[in-house]
Amino acid sequence: MKLSVLLDRARDRALPVVAGITDDDLSKPTPCADYDVRALLDHLLHVVVEFQKLAAKQDADFSHNPSYPDWRTRYPAESAKLVDAWGEPGATEGISGSMQMPAQTVGGLALLDLTVHASDLAQATGQRFEPDPEVLAEVADLVAQMGPMAVEWKVFKEPAEAPADASPFERLLATTGRDPRWSA
């Protein structure tokens, strides 16, 4: 399945989560220990903006997380641009910008962030989140492929223990070092 279609499906699942976040939620902790809800929203929006550049084979800047005070309106618009950017001819071919990785893999990282961080935000704000099954399959393949390198780069933590009755998505979250049944 085309990456842009998967990104669109991930976006469809993330949009209600982002829309469901209230001002009272912004200071709540998230499964990402370094981020409260507000900081994670900024991070996710920054990923969405910068990965548009990577789709166009431009360099991205992840050296800081800017603040996006207009996240409520900007996230839907920018995530739509992300889907469009990765749907452009050639976006998934070759090497992608400053990451010096295959473009298809880089686009998969955007898919991973949209999926996992939407789950983080849902858990932090008491919302339900279930990824699209085809998105989950693609993200699971990417996590399996990138696991040790992602831990080394500090993108993931060491894998966590998944409960015996964990769903496939909960097992994926555990692989990224998250407590799949995290609660504040």
Side-chain angles (χ1 to χ4, degrees), residues 95-172:
I95 301 298
S96 192
S98 56
M99 293 187 83
Q100 293 299 302
M101 295 172 66
Q104 181 73 32
T105 301
V106 171
L109 294 173
L111 185 65
L112 171 68
D113 271 19
L114 256 67
T115 304
V116 172
H117 289 321
S119 171
D120 294 335
L121 290 167
Q123 286 180 295
T125 59
Q127 300 181 62
R128 280 195 38 79
F129 178 81
E130 190 65 37
D132 174 273
E134 291 183 68
V135 168
L136 176 58
E138 185 72 22
V139 168
D141 286 348
L142 180 66
V143 167
Q145 171 191 344
M146 305 238 358
M149 182 173 58
V151 170
E152 183 181 319
W153 290 357
K154 301 197 183 329
V155 174
F156 298 163
K157 293 183 177 165
E158 289 292 334
E161 187 75 29
D165 64 342
S167 71
F169 185 54
E170 288 174 326
R171 284 193 294 280
L172 173 97

Side-chain angles (χ1 to χ4, degrees), residues 36-104:
D36 63 10
V37 169
R38 180 71 178 99
L40 187 56
L41 282 164
D42 285 339
H43 170 72
L44 180 57
L45 189 48
H46 190 59
V47 163
V48 166
V49 168
E50 294 300 305
F51 272 81
Q52 292 171 44
K53 296 175 188 174
L54 291 168
K57 310 296 189 280
Q58 299 169 354
D59 289 342
D61 181 5
F62 294 107
S63 64
H64 67 290
N65 273 328
S67 178
Y68 294 94
D70 56 348
W71 60 269
R72 283 186 174 88
T73 55
R74 195 154 178 203
Y75 182 80
E78 294 293 344
S79 59
K81 290 179 190 175
L82 177 74
V83 171
D84 291 345
W86 285 96
E88 287 293 319
T92 59
E93 297 169 9
I95 301 298
S96 192
S98 56
M99 293 187 83
Q100 293 299 302
M101 295 172 66
Q104 181 73 32

